[in-house]
Amino acid sequence: PTGSQTATTTEDGAYLLTEAAISGNTVMRRYAAKVFIPTIDEWYKAAFYDGQGGYFPFPTQSYSAPFCYAPDSSANVANCENAVGGPTDVGAYTGSESSYRTNDQGGNVAEWNESIVGGPDRAVSGGGFADFAFQIGSAGGLEALPAATEGADLGFRVAQSCGQAVPEPASLASLISGAMLLSSLAKRRRQQGRARDAES
């Protein structure tokens, strides 16, 4: 679509974006969304579920608080208590994944959840690189208003439905390039078909 930006020229994708929903912080996920920010329940299960019907108190498959160290392959370590002094690359703590094989759900950056809690606030889980180890467990978390809250230790996690992993950025770029190429080819075929129809 072309023209000035309106509801007819802007795609909503996973979320229905209206001025009222944005200003009131009531934007919610569409039912058929494929890629989205997880709810607090989805986030919690990915971080703490033990795979056998119970939950660990820490997202490193541990019943005790993780050690706050620089990245390595040890079990039960995380980027917390300013051990690094800033965010690390996702997956740097290779021995400290959750049962669902997610990385850095404790420490590194606290993560926005889709869930609205406490009025207009959204849930934030996991704690950041400056938080104490006990704050990055299941008992931690806070509520904040997205429009008024930002920081170097605050981010979000992207989830995908259908049990598929979200592609790495390089894979995603290839996927988008492929989709654009297919769209371009389809458009060219339609134009060629119209040209043949016009000649007939």
Side-chain angles (χ1 to χ4, degrees), residues 89-120:
D89 291 341
V90 173
Y93 294 84
T94 56
S96 299
E97 298 175 321
S98 75
S99 295
Y100 275 109
R101 302 290 177 244
T102 60
N103 293 287
D104 307 313
Q105 282 196 263
N108 210 32
V109 296
E111 298 176 358
W112 288 107
N113 299 162
E114 181 182 275
S115 302
I116 298 173
V117 292

Short mmCIF file of all heavy atoms in Angstrom, two decimals, residues 89-120:
data_model
loop_
_atom_site.label_atom_id
_atom_site.label_comp_id
_atom_site.label_asym_id
_atom_site.label_seq_id
_atom_site.Cartn_x
_atom_site.Cartn_y
_atom_site.Cartn_z
N ASP A 89 26.22 -11.60 24.65
CA ASP A 89 25.52 -12.22 23.52
C ASP A 89 24.61 -13.33 24.04
O ASP A 89 24.99 -14.07 24.96
CB ASP A 89 26.50 -12.81 22.52
CG ASP A 89 27.29 -11.75 21.77
OD1 ASP A 89 26.84 -10.58 21.75
OD2 ASP A 89 28.35 -12.08 21.21
N VAL A 90 23.45 -13.48 23.42
CA VAL A 90 22.53 -14.54 23.81
C VAL A 90 23.21 -15.88 23.62
O VAL A 90 23.85 -16.13 22.60
CB VAL A 90 21.23 -14.46 22.98
CG1 VAL A 90 20.34 -15.65 23.25
CG2 VAL A 90 20.50 -13.17 23.28
N GLY A 91 23.08 -16.76 24.61
CA GLY A 91 23.66 -18.09 24.53
C GLY A 91 25.10 -18.17 24.99
O GLY A 91 25.74 -19.20 24.82
N ALA A 92 25.63 -17.11 25.58
CA ALA A 92 27.03 -17.11 26.03
C ALA A 92 27.25 -18.08 27.20
O ALA A 92 28.34 -18.60 27.38
CB ALA A 92 27.46 -15.71 26.43
N TYR A 93 26.20 -18.35 27.96
CA TYR A 93 26.28 -19.26 29.11
C TYR A 93 25.76 -20.63 28.68
O TYR A 93 24.63 -21.01 28.98
CB TYR A 93 25.49 -18.69 30.29
CG TYR A 93 26.10 -17.41 30.83
CD1 TYR A 93 25.81 -16.18 30.25
CD2 TYR A 93 26.98 -17.46 31.90
CE1 TYR A 93 26.38 -15.01 30.74
CE2 TYR A 93 27.55 -16.29 32.40
CZ TYR A 93 27.26 -15.07 31.80
OH TYR A 93 27.82 -13.92 32.29
N THR A 94 26.59 -21.38 27.97
CA THR A 94 26.14 -22.60 27.29
C THR A 94 25.71 -23.72 28.22
O THR A 94 24.96 -24.59 27.82
CB THR A 94 27.23 -23.12 26.34
OG1 THR A 94 28.45 -23.32 27.11
CG2 THR A 94 27.51 -22.12 25.23
N GLY A 95 26.17 -23.73 29.45
CA GLY A 95 25.80 -24.80 30.38
C GLY A 95 24.64 -24.45 31.28
O GLY A 95 24.33 -25.18 32.22
N SER A 96 23.98 -23.33 31.02
CA SER A 96 22.95 -22.84 31.94
C SER A 96 21.62 -22.58 31.26
O SER A 96 20.90 -21.64 31.60
CB SER A 96 23.45 -21.56 32.63
OG SER A 96 24.62 -21.83 33.37
N GLU A 97 21.26 -23.42 30.31
CA GLU A 97 19.97 -23.28 29.62
C GLU A 97 18.84 -23.74 30.53
O GLU A 97 19.04 -24.48 31.48
CB GLU A 97 19.94 -24.16 28.37
CG GLU A 97 20.97 -23.84 27.33
CD GLU A 97 20.96 -24.85 26.19
OE1 GLU A 97 20.79 -26.05 26.46
OE2 GLU A 97 21.10 -24.43 25.04
N SER A 98 17.62 -23.34 30.18
CA SER A 98 16.44 -23.86 30.86
C SER A 98 16.14 -25.25 30.31
O SER A 98 16.76 -25.71 29.35
CB SER A 98 15.23 -22.95 30.63
OG SER A 98 14.72 -23.12 29.31
N SER A 99 15.15 -25.93 30.88
CA SER A 99 14.75 -27.25 30.38
C SER A 99 14.26 -27.19 28.94
O SER A 99 14.36 -28.17 28.21
CB SER A 99 13.64 -27.84 31.26
OG SER A 99 14.13 -28.06 32.55
N TYR A 100 13.71 -26.05 28.53
CA TYR A 100 13.26 -25.86 27.16
C TYR A 100 14.37 -25.36 26.25
O TYR A 100 14.13 -24.96 25.12
CB TYR A 100 12.07 -24.89 27.12
CG TYR A 100 10.75 -25.54 27.37
CD1 TYR A 100 10.06 -25.31 28.56
CD2 TYR A 100 10.17 -26.38 26.43
CE1 TYR A 100 8.83 -25.92 28.80
CE2 TYR A 100 8.95 -26.98 26.65
CZ TYR A 100 8.29 -26.75 27.83
OH TYR A 100 7.07 -27.35 28.06
N ARG A 101 15.59 -25.31 26.74
CA ARG A 101 16.77 -24.90 26.00
C ARG A 101 16.77 -23.42 25.65
O ARG A 101 17.38 -22.99 24.67
CB ARG A 101 16.96 -25.73 24.73
CG ARG A 101 17.07 -27.22 24.98
CD ARG A 101 18.38 -27.55 25.66
NE ARG A 101 18.47 -28.97 25.98
CZ ARG A 101 18.53 -29.44 27.22
NH1 ARG A 101 18.53 -28.63 28.25
NH2 ARG A 101 18.61 -30.72 27.44
N THR A 102 16.09 -22.61 26.45
CA THR A 102 16.18 -21.16 26.27
C THR A 102 17.39 -20.65 27.04
O THR A 102 17.81 -21.25 28.02
CB THR A 102 14.90 -20.44 26.76
OG1 THR A 102 14.74 -20.71 28.16
CG2 THR A 102 13.68 -20.90 25.99
N ASN A 103 17.94 -19.55 26.57
CA ASN A 103 19.13 -18.97 27.18
C ASN A 103 18.82 -17.64 27.83
O ASN A 103 17.94 -16.91 27.38
CB ASN A 103 20.21 -18.73 26.11
CG ASN A 103 20.73 -20.02 25.53
OD1 ASN A 103 21.47 -20.74 26.19
ND2 ASN A 103 20.34 -20.32 24.31
N ASP A 104 19.55 -17.31 28.87
CA ASP A 104 19.55 -15.97 29.48
C ASP A 104 18.19 -15.51 29.97
O ASP A 104 17.87 -14.32 29.90
CB ASP A 104 20.12 -14.94 28.49
CG ASP A 104 21.47 -15.36 27.95
OD1 ASP A 104 22.33 -15.76 28.75
OD2 ASP A 104 21.67 -15.28 26.72
N GLN A 105 17.37 -16.41 30.47
CA GLN A 105 16.10 -15.95 31.05
C GLN A 105 16.29 -15.51 32.49
O GLN A 105 15.34 -15.09 33.14
CB GLN A 105 15.02 -17.02 30.92
CG GLN A 105 14.46 -17.06 29.51
CD GLN A 105 13.16 -17.80 29.40
OE1 GLN A 105 13.15 -18.97 29.05
NE2 GLN A 105 12.05 -17.13 29.70
N GLY A 106 17.49 -15.57 32.97
CA GLY A 106 17.85 -15.01 34.27
C GLY A 106 19.11 -14.21 34.09
O GLY A 106 20.13 -14.72 33.64
N GLY A 107 19.07 -12.92 34.41
CA GLY A 107 20.22 -12.06 34.20
C GLY A 107 20.27 -11.55 32.78
O GLY A 107 19.32 -11.71 32.01
N ASN A 108 21.36 -10.95 32.42
CA ASN A 108 21.59 -10.33 31.12
C ASN A 108 20.69 -9.12 30.95
O ASN A 108 21.11 -8.02 31.22
CB ASN A 108 21.44 -11.33 29.96
CG ASN A 108 22.33 -10.97 28.80
OD1 ASN A 108 23.40 -10.42 28.98
ND2 ASN A 108 21.89 -11.27 27.60
N VAL A 109 19.44 -9.29 30.48
CA VAL A 109 18.48 -8.19 30.48
C VAL A 109 17.14 -8.69 31.00
O VAL A 109 16.76 -9.83 30.74
CB VAL A 109 18.28 -7.55 29.08
CG1 VAL A 109 19.56 -6.90 28.59
CG2 VAL A 109 17.77 -8.55 28.06
N ALA A 110 16.46 -7.86 31.77
CA ALA A 110 15.10 -8.17 32.18
C ALA A 110 14.22 -8.08 30.94
O ALA A 110 14.51 -7.29 30.04
CB ALA A 110 14.64 -7.19 33.25
N GLU A 111 13.18 -8.90 30.86
CA GLU A 111 12.42 -9.00 29.61
C GLU A 111 10.95 -8.64 29.79
O GLU A 111 10.27 -9.16 30.68
CB GLU A 111 12.56 -10.42 29.05
CG GLU A 111 14.00 -10.75 28.72
CD GLU A 111 14.20 -12.18 28.25
OE1 GLU A 111 13.23 -12.96 28.21
OE2 GLU A 111 15.35 -12.52 27.91
N TRP A 112 10.48 -7.76 28.90
CA TRP A 112 9.06 -7.41 28.87
C TRP A 112 8.25 -8.65 28.53
O TRP A 112 8.66 -9.47 27.72
CB TRP A 112 8.79 -6.36 27.79
CG TRP A 112 9.30 -5.00 28.10
CD1 TRP A 112 10.38 -4.39 27.52
CD2 TRP A 112 8.76 -4.07 29.03
NE1 TRP A 112 10.53 -3.13 28.04
CE2 TRP A 112 9.56 -2.91 28.98
CE3 TRP A 112 7.68 -4.11 29.91
CZ2 TRP A 112 9.31 -1.80 29.77
CZ3 TRP A 112 7.44 -3.01 30.70
CH2 TRP A 112 8.25 -1.87 30.63
N ASN A 113 7.10 -8.79 29.14
CA ASN A 113 6.12 -9.80 28.78
C ASN A 113 4.94 -9.09 28.15
O ASN A 113 4.72 -7.90 28.36
CB ASN A 113 5.62 -10.56 30.01
CG ASN A 113 6.72 -11.31 30.76
OD1 ASN A 113 6.54 -11.66 31.89
ND2 ASN A 113 7.86 -11.54 30.13
N GLU A 114 4.16 -9.83 27.40
CA GLU A 114 2.98 -9.26 26.77
C GLU A 114 1.87 -8.95 27.78
O GLU A 114 1.05 -8.08 27.56
CB GLU A 114 2.47 -10.28 25.74
CG GLU A 114 1.27 -9.85 24.97
CD GLU A 114 0.83 -10.96 24.03
OE1 GLU A 114 1.37 -11.04 22.93
OE2 GLU A 114 -0.05 -11.73 24.42
N SER A 115 1.86 -9.66 28.91
CA SER A 115 0.76 -9.56 29.87
C SER A 115 0.65 -8.19 30.52
O SER A 115 1.65 -7.60 30.94
CB SER A 115 0.94 -10.61 30.97
OG SER A 115 0.98 -11.90 30.42
N ILE A 116 -0.58 -7.70 30.60
CA ILE A 116 -0.88 -6.46 31.31
C ILE A 116 -1.18 -6.83 32.75
O ILE A 116 -2.00 -7.70 33.03
CB ILE A 116 -2.07 -5.72 30.68
CG1 ILE A 116 -1.73 -5.32 29.24
CG2 ILE A 116 -2.46 -4.51 31.51
CD1 ILE A 116 -2.89 -4.73 28.47
N VAL A 117 -0.49 -6.20 33.69
CA VAL A 117 -0.68 -6.47 35.12
C VAL A 117 -0.75 -5.15 35.86
O VAL A 117 -0.15 -4.16 35.47
CB VAL A 117 0.48 -7.33 35.67
CG1 VAL A 117 0.45 -8.74 35.09
CG2 VAL A 117 1.83 -6.70 35.40
N GLY A 118 -1.51 -5.10 36.92
CA GLY A 118 -1.55 -3.90 37.75
C GLY A 118 -1.99 -2.65 37.03
O GLY A 118 -1.31 -1.64 37.09
N GLY A 119 -3.10 -2.73 36.27
CA GLY A 119 -3.59 -1.56 35.54
C GLY A 119 -2.92 -1.46 34.19
O GLY A 119 -2.92 -2.43 33.43
N PRO A 120 -2.26 -0.34 33.87
CA PRO A 120 -1.67 -0.20 32.54
C PRO A 120 -0.27 -0.80 32.43
O PRO A 120 0.31 -0.79 31.36
CB PRO A 120 -1.61 1.32 32.35
CG PRO A 120 -1.39 1.83 33.73
CD PRO A 120 -2.17 0.91 34.63
#
